[in-house]
Amino acid sequence: MKSALPGLESIRHVLFDLFLPAGYPASVSPDYLEYQIYNALQTSCSSVSGLLASRGALEGVGVGNASASATHALLLTVLKDAFSRFTTIIAAYYFGTSLYPETKTFRFLADVFNDASIVLDTVVPYIGSINLSESWPIIPTGATLQTIALCLSGALRSLCGLVAGGSKAALTNHFASPLTGKGDVGEVSAKDASRETVVGLSGMLLGTLLIPYVNTRTSTYTMLFLLVWGHLLFNYLAVRSVVLRTLNRQRACILWTDFRSSSGTFKDRMLSPSNVASRELIFGSPDCLRDASTGRIIGQCTLGTSFRTVTSLCTAKHVAEALQIFGEEKYVLFIADGRTRTSRPLTILACFKNGYHSMDQLQAWIHSIEAARYPTNPGDPAATADHLRSTLIATRKAMPHFVQSLADAGWETADDSMMLGSPNHLILGVDEDLEADEKEIKKDR
């Protein structure tokens, strides 16, 4: 028995060296192992369901059909690839700056796109038998629906690749940042690729044993449902297990509304990253201002909005007063005119001045929460100006204590994750006679 123990110990060391980063567990974040366990399970489900999708896609382009031609299959493949490439370009433009701040959301969303693509590929052979165009001419024929499904599947798969790649890079940086010391991003990424290769290959081998027995529509749909359900479940658990220590808008909102009570006093301790991770919403609008104690949406704030948008939603008098109030700050908050809103929560617009920093973004967001927690009548310009002035004083006074408490609780405040990308418009300067000019413009109009 004693002679067997050294052999098992040596095997354990070999497996650790092959699939875990050097120095584990001290070289990675504490949530690394739990995430990787769930990630391995979801990869296995995805590998098996991917075989079902591949079989369906091949049948969709004509494999097994005596009347199909190689040229037709080639053209379908080219068309599918073209949709995939165009989707990558468009998605990179719209989602590129959102992947790092909203890592959890897009990591889970990537697998939703992947499963949607798998479902479409799997049902493609059965779509061809649909023929409703005789009764309803507006509905395309089965062959046309097959082509549409294949193109849509390619677009969804490329969308998954783009979103998953960006969010995975953010997660790799997180896992390579232990609580003490410094990790190696390259090592973590290499071991992740090695581990996923083995897990994916194991899933494919398992799939090759199962797929020959799944040859009816009922068995195909049943197996597909179980695999997609398991894939999404394990992905949800994996995303839930991640404890990010960087701030984004949702986490900052949870921290501030919990730390500062409605009476204006502060708690003795700040919420830890693990406490906030359990309260985070996977799918939630980043612009929403939400009270952590009640879960109620108290307002909406857009960081880095253009000045043209501000002038279209706010009165000239309010714009001039806000610029004067925030003369010493690197940001300016504007409250949308109450006459442009119905029953929606308070709408706040934040513009940044030239030379702003990450701490200015955090203060602008915290100030927006304060302004929304104790709202005033946006239709009253004087009350709105007084409200912005008083909340600015309170926020400016509380920020040093808040930032220090964040650092003491283990949060990283240096990372710039509050805003999605850089604003396209900055305030370069403010004319001293702006208010008078605005009045003259209004009179001329």
mmCIF file with all atom_site columns, all heavy atoms in Angstrom, residues 390-403:
data_model
loop_
_atom_site.group_PDB
_atom_site.id
_atom_site.type_symbol
_atom_site.label_atom_id
_atom_site.label_alt_id
_atom_site.label_comp_id
_atom_site.label_asym_id
_atom_site.label_entity_id
_atom_site.label_seq_id
_atom_site.pdbx_PDB_ins_code
_atom_site.Cartn_x
_atom_site.Cartn_y
_atom_site.Cartn_z
_atom_site.occupancy
_atom_site.B_iso_or_equiv
_atom_site.pdbx_formal_charge
_atom_site.auth_seq_id
_atom_site.auth_comp_id
_atom_site.auth_asym_id
_atom_site.auth_atom_id
_atom_site.pdbx_PDB_model_num
ATOM 1   N N   . SER A 1 390 ? -26.090 70.707 -3.882 1.00 0.00 ? 390 SER A N   1
ATOM 2   C CA  . SER A 1 390 ? -26.012 70.066 -2.560 1.00 0.00 ? 390 SER A CA  1
ATOM 3   C C   . SER A 1 390 ? -25.470 68.639 -2.653 1.00 0.00 ? 390 SER A C   1
ATOM 4   O O   . SER A 1 390 ? -24.658 68.219 -1.815 1.00 0.00 ? 390 SER A O   1
ATOM 5   C CB  . SER A 1 390 ? -27.396 70.061 -1.905 1.00 0.00 ? 390 SER A CB  1
ATOM 6   O OG  . SER A 1 390 ? -28.324 69.314 -2.684 1.00 0.00 ? 390 SER A OG  1
ATOM 7   N N   . THR A 1 391 ? -25.904 67.896 -3.668 1.00 0.00 ? 391 THR A N   1
ATOM 8   C CA  . THR A 1 391 ? -25.387 66.529 -3.815 1.00 0.00 ? 391 THR A CA  1
ATOM 9   C C   . THR A 1 391 ? -23.927 66.522 -4.250 1.00 0.00 ? 391 THR A C   1
ATOM 10  O O   . THR A 1 391 ? -23.187 65.599 -3.906 1.00 0.00 ? 391 THR A O   1
ATOM 11  C CB  . THR A 1 391 ? -26.233 65.744 -4.836 1.00 0.00 ? 391 THR A CB  1
ATOM 12  O OG1 . THR A 1 391 ? -26.364 66.503 -6.055 1.00 0.00 ? 391 THR A OG1 1
ATOM 13  C CG2 . THR A 1 391 ? -27.615 65.445 -4.270 1.00 0.00 ? 391 THR A CG2 1
ATOM 14  N N   . LEU A 1 392 ? -23.488 67.538 -4.979 1.00 0.00 ? 392 LEU A N   1
ATOM 15  C CA  . LEU A 1 392 ? -22.076 67.646 -5.338 1.00 0.00 ? 392 LEU A CA  1
ATOM 16  C C   . LEU A 1 392 ? -21.225 67.845 -4.094 1.00 0.00 ? 392 LEU A C   1
ATOM 17  O O   . LEU A 1 392 ? -20.174 67.208 -3.933 1.00 0.00 ? 392 LEU A O   1
ATOM 18  C CB  . LEU A 1 392 ? -21.859 68.792 -6.327 1.00 0.00 ? 392 LEU A CB  1
ATOM 19  C CG  . LEU A 1 392 ? -20.393 69.121 -6.656 1.00 0.00 ? 392 LEU A CG  1
ATOM 20  C CD1 . LEU A 1 392 ? -19.699 67.923 -7.294 1.00 0.00 ? 392 LEU A CD1 1
ATOM 21  C CD2 . LEU A 1 392 ? -20.296 70.342 -7.566 1.00 0.00 ? 392 LEU A CD2 1
ATOM 22  N N   . ILE A 1 393 ? -21.674 68.703 -3.197 1.00 0.00 ? 393 ILE A N   1
ATOM 23  C CA  . ILE A 1 393 ? -20.926 68.944 -1.962 1.00 0.00 ? 393 ILE A CA  1
ATOM 24  C C   . ILE A 1 393 ? -20.842 67.661 -1.132 1.00 0.00 ? 393 ILE A C   1
ATOM 25  O O   . ILE A 1 393 ? -19.779 67.304 -0.608 1.00 0.00 ? 393 ILE A O   1
ATOM 26  C CB  . ILE A 1 393 ? -21.595 70.082 -1.153 1.00 0.00 ? 393 ILE A CB  1
ATOM 27  C CG1 . ILE A 1 393 ? -21.495 71.405 -1.930 1.00 0.00 ? 393 ILE A CG1 1
ATOM 28  C CG2 . ILE A 1 393 ? -20.949 70.223 0.215  1.00 0.00 ? 393 ILE A CG2 1
ATOM 29  C CD1 . ILE A 1 393 ? -22.273 72.544 -1.299 1.00 0.00 ? 393 ILE A CD1 1
ATOM 30  N N   . ALA A 1 394 ? -21.967 66.952 -1.027 1.00 0.00 ? 394 ALA A N   1
ATOM 31  C CA  . ALA A 1 394 ? -21.993 65.713 -0.245 1.00 0.00 ? 394 ALA A CA  1
ATOM 32  C C   . ALA A 1 394 ? -21.110 64.639 -0.878 1.00 0.00 ? 394 ALA A C   1
ATOM 33  O O   . ALA A 1 394 ? -20.371 63.928 -0.169 1.00 0.00 ? 394 ALA A O   1
ATOM 34  C CB  . ALA A 1 394 ? -23.428 65.214 -0.113 1.00 0.00 ? 394 ALA A CB  1
ATOM 35  N N   . THR A 1 395 ? -21.158 64.518 -2.201 1.00 0.00 ? 395 THR A N   1
ATOM 36  C CA  . THR A 1 395 ? -20.356 63.510 -2.884 1.00 0.00 ? 395 THR A CA  1
ATOM 37  C C   . THR A 1 395 ? -18.876 63.826 -2.792 1.00 0.00 ? 395 THR A C   1
ATOM 38  O O   . THR A 1 395 ? -18.044 62.945 -2.523 1.00 0.00 ? 395 THR A O   1
ATOM 39  C CB  . THR A 1 395 ? -20.776 63.405 -4.364 1.00 0.00 ? 395 THR A CB  1
ATOM 40  O OG1 . THR A 1 395 ? -22.175 63.145 -4.449 1.00 0.00 ? 395 THR A OG1 1
ATOM 41  C CG2 . THR A 1 395 ? -20.011 62.301 -5.068 1.00 0.00 ? 395 THR A CG2 1
ATOM 42  N N   . ARG A 1 396 ? -18.531 65.076 -3.010 1.00 0.00 ? 396 ARG A N   1
ATOM 43  C CA  . ARG A 1 396 ? -17.124 65.475 -2.936 1.00 0.00 ? 396 ARG A CA  1
ATOM 44  C C   . ARG A 1 396 ? -16.550 65.216 -1.540 1.00 0.00 ? 396 ARG A C   1
ATOM 45  O O   . ARG A 1 396 ? -15.402 64.793 -1.393 1.00 0.00 ? 396 ARG A O   1
ATOM 46  C CB  . ARG A 1 396 ? -17.017 66.960 -3.290 1.00 0.00 ? 396 ARG A CB  1
ATOM 47  C CG  . ARG A 1 396 ? -15.592 67.478 -3.415 1.00 0.00 ? 396 ARG A CG  1
ATOM 48  C CD  . ARG A 1 396 ? -15.606 68.971 -3.575 1.00 0.00 ? 396 ARG A CD  1
ATOM 49  N NE  . ARG A 1 396 ? -16.227 69.383 -4.820 1.00 0.00 ? 396 ARG A NE  1
ATOM 50  C CZ  . ARG A 1 396 ? -16.643 70.625 -5.063 1.00 0.00 ? 396 ARG A CZ  1
ATOM 51  N NH1 . ARG A 1 396 ? -16.532 71.554 -4.122 1.00 0.00 ? 396 ARG A NH1 1
ATOM 52  N NH2 . ARG A 1 396 ? -17.179 70.924 -6.234 1.00 0.00 ? 396 ARG A NH2 1
ATOM 53  N N   . LYS A 1 397 ? -17.354 65.436 -0.520 1.00 0.00 ? 397 LYS A N   1
ATOM 54  C CA  . LYS A 1 397 ? -16.906 65.215 0.854  1.00 0.00 ? 397 LYS A CA  1
ATOM 55  C C   . LYS A 1 397 ? -16.762 63.732 1.177  1.00 0.00 ? 397 LYS A C   1
ATOM 56  O O   . LYS A 1 397 ? -15.868 63.324 1.929  1.00 0.00 ? 397 LYS A O   1
ATOM 57  C CB  . LYS A 1 397 ? -17.904 65.867 1.812  1.00 0.00 ? 397 LYS A CB  1
ATOM 58  C CG  . LYS A 1 397 ? -17.511 65.768 3.272  1.00 0.00 ? 397 LYS A CG  1
ATOM 59  C CD  . LYS A 1 397 ? -18.538 66.466 4.152  1.00 0.00 ? 397 LYS A CD  1
ATOM 60  C CE  . LYS A 1 397 ? -18.160 66.347 5.625  1.00 0.00 ? 397 LYS A CE  1
ATOM 61  N NZ  . LYS A 1 397 ? -19.172 67.015 6.503  1.00 0.00 ? 397 LYS A NZ  1
ATOM 62  N N   . ALA A 1 398 ? -17.627 62.885 0.594  1.00 0.00 ? 398 ALA A N   1
ATOM 63  C CA  . ALA A 1 398 ? -17.642 61.460 0.938  1.00 0.00 ? 398 ALA A CA  1
ATOM 64  C C   . ALA A 1 398 ? -16.670 60.628 0.110  1.00 0.00 ? 398 ALA A C   1
ATOM 65  O O   . ALA A 1 398 ? -16.326 59.508 0.515  1.00 0.00 ? 398 ALA A O   1
ATOM 66  C CB  . ALA A 1 398 ? -19.059 60.907 0.749  1.00 0.00 ? 398 ALA A CB  1
ATOM 67  N N   . MET A 1 399 ? -16.220 61.115 -1.036 1.00 0.00 ? 399 MET A N   1
ATOM 68  C CA  . MET A 1 399 ? -15.411 60.307 -1.944 1.00 0.00 ? 399 MET A CA  1
ATOM 69  C C   . MET A 1 399 ? -14.109 59.797 -1.328 1.00 0.00 ? 399 MET A C   1
ATOM 70  O O   . MET A 1 399 ? -13.772 58.606 -1.493 1.00 0.00 ? 399 MET A O   1
ATOM 71  C CB  . MET A 1 399 ? -15.115 61.085 -3.223 1.00 0.00 ? 399 MET A CB  1
ATOM 72  C CG  . MET A 1 399 ? -16.258 61.065 -4.236 1.00 0.00 ? 399 MET A CG  1
ATOM 73  S SD  . MET A 1 399 ? -16.713 59.402 -4.774 1.00 0.00 ? 399 MET A SD  1
ATOM 74  C CE  . MET A 1 399 ? -15.240 58.899 -5.655 1.00 0.00 ? 399 MET A CE  1
ATOM 75  N N   . PRO A 1 400 ? -13.313 60.620 -0.613 1.00 0.00 ? 400 PRO A N   1
ATOM 76  C CA  . PRO A 1 400 ? -12.071 60.073 -0.041 1.00 0.00 ? 400 PRO A CA  1
ATOM 77  C C   . PRO A 1 400 ? -12.320 58.900 0.903  1.00 0.00 ? 400 PRO A C   1
ATOM 78  O O   . PRO A 1 400 ? -11.605 57.888 0.855  1.00 0.00 ? 400 PRO A O   1
ATOM 79  C CB  . PRO A 1 400 ? -11.465 61.283 0.687  1.00 0.00 ? 400 PRO A CB  1
ATOM 80  C CG  . PRO A 1 400 ? -12.030 62.466 -0.011 1.00 0.00 ? 400 PRO A CG  1
ATOM 81  C CD  . PRO A 1 400 ? -13.419 62.079 -0.397 1.00 0.00 ? 400 PRO A CD  1
ATOM 82  N N   . HIS A 1 401 ? -13.327 59.023 1.763  1.00 0.00 ? 401 HIS A N   1
ATOM 83  C CA  . HIS A 1 401 ? -13.648 57.942 2.688  1.00 0.00 ? 401 HIS A CA  1
ATOM 84  C C   . HIS A 1 401 ? -14.149 56.710 1.937  1.00 0.00 ? 401 HIS A C   1
ATOM 85  O O   . HIS A 1 401 ? -13.801 55.563 2.283  1.00 0.00 ? 401 HIS A O   1
ATOM 86  C CB  . HIS A 1 401 ? -14.702 58.429 3.687  1.00 0.00 ? 401 HIS A CB  1
ATOM 87  C CG  . HIS A 1 401 ? -15.126 57.374 4.671  1.00 0.00 ? 401 HIS A CG  1
ATOM 88  N ND1 . HIS A 1 401 ? -14.235 56.543 5.311  1.00 0.00 ? 401 HIS A ND1 1
ATOM 89  C CD2 . HIS A 1 401 ? -16.356 57.010 5.119  1.00 0.00 ? 401 HIS A CD2 1
ATOM 90  C CE1 . HIS A 1 401 ? -14.884 55.723 6.109  1.00 0.00 ? 401 HIS A CE1 1
ATOM 91  N NE2 . HIS A 1 401 ? -16.179 55.976 6.011  1.00 0.00 ? 401 HIS A NE2 1
ATOM 92  N N   . PHE A 1 402 ? -14.939 56.913 0.894  1.00 0.00 ? 402 PHE A N   1
ATOM 93  C CA  . PHE A 1 402 ? -15.478 55.808 0.109  1.00 0.00 ? 402 PHE A CA  1
ATOM 94  C C   . PHE A 1 402 ? -14.363 55.058 -0.621 1.00 0.00 ? 402 PHE A C   1
ATOM 95  O O   . PHE A 1 402 ? -14.312 53.818 -0.597 1.00 0.00 ? 402 PHE A O   1
ATOM 96  C CB  . PHE A 1 402 ? -16.498 56.358 -0.890 1.00 0.00 ? 402 PHE A CB  1
ATOM 97  C CG  . PHE A 1 402 ? -17.098 55.328 -1.801 1.00 0.00 ? 402 PHE A CG  1
ATOM 98  C CD1 . PHE A 1 402 ? -17.901 54.312 -1.304 1.00 0.00 ? 402 PHE A CD1 1
ATOM 99  C CD2 . PHE A 1 402 ? -16.865 55.368 -3.173 1.00 0.00 ? 402 PHE A CD2 1
ATOM 100 C CE1 . PHE A 1 402 ? -18.466 53.362 -2.150 1.00 0.00 ? 402 PHE A CE1 1
ATOM 101 C CE2 . PHE A 1 402 ? -17.427 54.423 -4.015 1.00 0.00 ? 402 PHE A CE2 1
ATOM 102 C CZ  . PHE A 1 402 ? -18.222 53.427 -3.496 1.00 0.00 ? 402 PHE A CZ  1
ATOM 103 N N   . VAL A 1 403 ? -13.464 55.784 -1.248 1.00 0.00 ? 403 VAL A N   1
ATOM 104 C CA  . VAL A 1 403 ? -12.364 55.160 -1.997 1.00 0.00 ? 403 VAL A CA  1
ATOM 105 C C   . VAL A 1 403 ? -11.435 54.407 -1.054 1.00 0.00 ? 403 VAL A C   1
ATOM 106 O O   . VAL A 1 403 ? -10.980 53.292 -1.360 1.00 0.00 ? 403 VAL A O   1
ATOM 107 C CB  . VAL A 1 403 ? -11.605 56.223 -2.805 1.00 0.00 ? 403 VAL A CB  1
ATOM 108 C CG1 . VAL A 1 403 ? -10.366 55.624 -3.459 1.00 0.00 ? 403 VAL A CG1 1
ATOM 109 C CG2 . VAL A 1 403 ? -12.504 56.832 -3.873 1.00 0.00 ? 403 VAL A CG2 1
#
